[in-house]
Amino acid sequence: MKVLVPVKRVMDYNVKARVKSDGTGVDLANVKMSMNPFDEIAVEEAVRLKEAGTATEVVAVSCGVAACQETLRTAMAIGADRAVLVESDAELQPLAVAKLLKAVADKESPQLVILGKQAIDDDSNQVGQMLAALLGWPQATFASKVVIADGKATVTREVDGGLETVALTLPAVVTTDLRLNEPRYATLPNIMKAKKKTLDTLKPDALGVDVSPRLTTVRVSEPPKRSAGIKVADVAQLVDKLKNEAKVF
């Protein structure tokens, strides 16, 4: 069984985002970039499936600028066998990424696509669902447990009311949630081995995909700053402030 794992290069989660002075976007100059944490969980799960003998090959794929090779090398250091980069300097929006991944999936013919439920930069939570729709495959989102057996994937999903378990016929698309696993650290020997693993580079044109943006960002701004808290003398003053200042009732 071949597993395809899409990964995204995003701003590191430890870095505080800064908005550009002209409000056109987030300032990424001299900012540390890393693999999207949810995608890191997806890579770990795919590698565990391979270690368990369920999967035979794990292929990492990323769409974006040439620097995404670093993210793919990290995926291979964790345990992916090889990688594919769909290189583009254009702004890749969720639908364009889903179309690119669909083209790669058609080329690679995986039995399972497992990816993060969302990226921490745009929080769109759209690519997995769009990809499943384009492929015509069943999907299970927000996975906290994945079991593959007898040509089916049994996935435990995190939903508002608790947990939901669904069974999918392979091939299928699964998106990962935080509690699925804890990704391993890439060891130095594996980092060195990853440098020798195969990394193929494709262009959107070669895949027959138009990646032109369909959405325009009007403005990006920081959240309004919260005013400092105050102490009240008694319950009457608290009720007064809630009623007249906070307008909660």
Side-chain angles (χ1 to χ4, degrees):
M1 184 179 79
K2 182 187 291 187
V3 183
L4 190 69
V5 188
V7 296
K8 186 177 183 181
R9 178 176 180 263
V10 300
M11 178 190 295
D12 190 88
Y13 66 91
N14 289 310
V15 177
K16 180 174 171 34
R18 300 188 309 272
V19 176
K20 292 180 181 178
S21 57
D22 58 2
T24 57
V26 176
D27 187 3
L28 298 179
N30 302 315
V31 169
K32 180 184 177 183
M33 307 293 282
S34 61
M35 187 189 302
N36 178 45
F38 290 102
D39 295 336
E40 198 171 358
I41 292 170
V43 175
E44 173 68 25
E45 190 66 19
V47 172
R48 290 187 185 189
L49 289 172
K50 184 186 174 185
E51 291 173 343
T54 303
T56 55
E57 185 181 26
V58 177
V59 182
V61 57
S62 188
C63 305
V65 296
C68 291
Q69 291 185 34
E70 301 171 12
T71 307
L72 290 170
R73 293 292 178 193
T74 300
M76 288 190 285
I78 293 173
D81 298 292
R82 58 187 177 87
V84 177
L85 171 62
V86 183
E87 187 177 345
S88 174
D89 293 326
E91 177 195 354
L92 296 179
Q93 295 177 350
L95 180 58
V97 174
K99 288 182 176 179
L100 291 172
L101 293 178
K102 194 259 185 189
V104 173
D106 288 341
K107 187 172 180 288
E108 294 286 343
S109 300
Q111 283 70 54
L112 179 66
V113 178
I114 182 166
L115 67 160
K117 69 172 184 177
Q118 65 193 73
I120 62 172
D121 53 358
D122 57 17
D123 276 334
S124 292
N125 182 23
Q126 295 175 347
V127 172
Q129 293 90 326
M130 288 180 172
L131 176 60
L134 291 171
L135 289 169
W137 291 2
Q139 61 175 303
T141 55
F142 317 136
S144 60
K145 183 179 179 181
V146 177
V147 178
I148 307 293
D150 301 324
K152 290 187 177 182
T154 303
V155 181
T156 302
R157 303 179 60 239
E158 296 194 0
V159 295
D160 291 341
L163 299 175
E164 177 186 53
T165 301
V166 295
L168 313 174
T169 302
L170 299 180
V173 176
V174 174
T175 72
T176 64
D177 214 327
L178 280 174
R179 281 156 288 278
L180 179 59
N181 60 52
E182 185 175 342
R184 70 193 71 183
Y185 288 102
T187 62
L188 183 58
N190 287 338
I191 292 173
M192 300 307 292
K193 290 177 185 177
K195 295 181 179 180
K196 298 180 180 179
K197 291 184 178 180
T198 304
L199 196 162
D200 298 321
T201 302
L202 303 172
K203 296 287 186 181
D205 291 345
L207 296 172
V209 177
D210 178 16
V211 296
S212 302
R214 287 171 164 76
L215 305 174
T216 302
T217 301
V218 177
R219 183 170 58 89
V220 177
S221 60
E222 292 186 5
K225 292 183 179 179
R226 296 176 61 182
S227 57
I230 60 170
K231 290 184 178 180
V232 295
D234 50 35
V235 175
Q237 187 180 0
L238 173 61
V239 172
D240 178 68
K241 289 189 175 295
L242 288 174
K243 182 176 181 181
N244 298 315
E245 293 184 20
K247 307 291 187 184
V248 296
F249 57 84

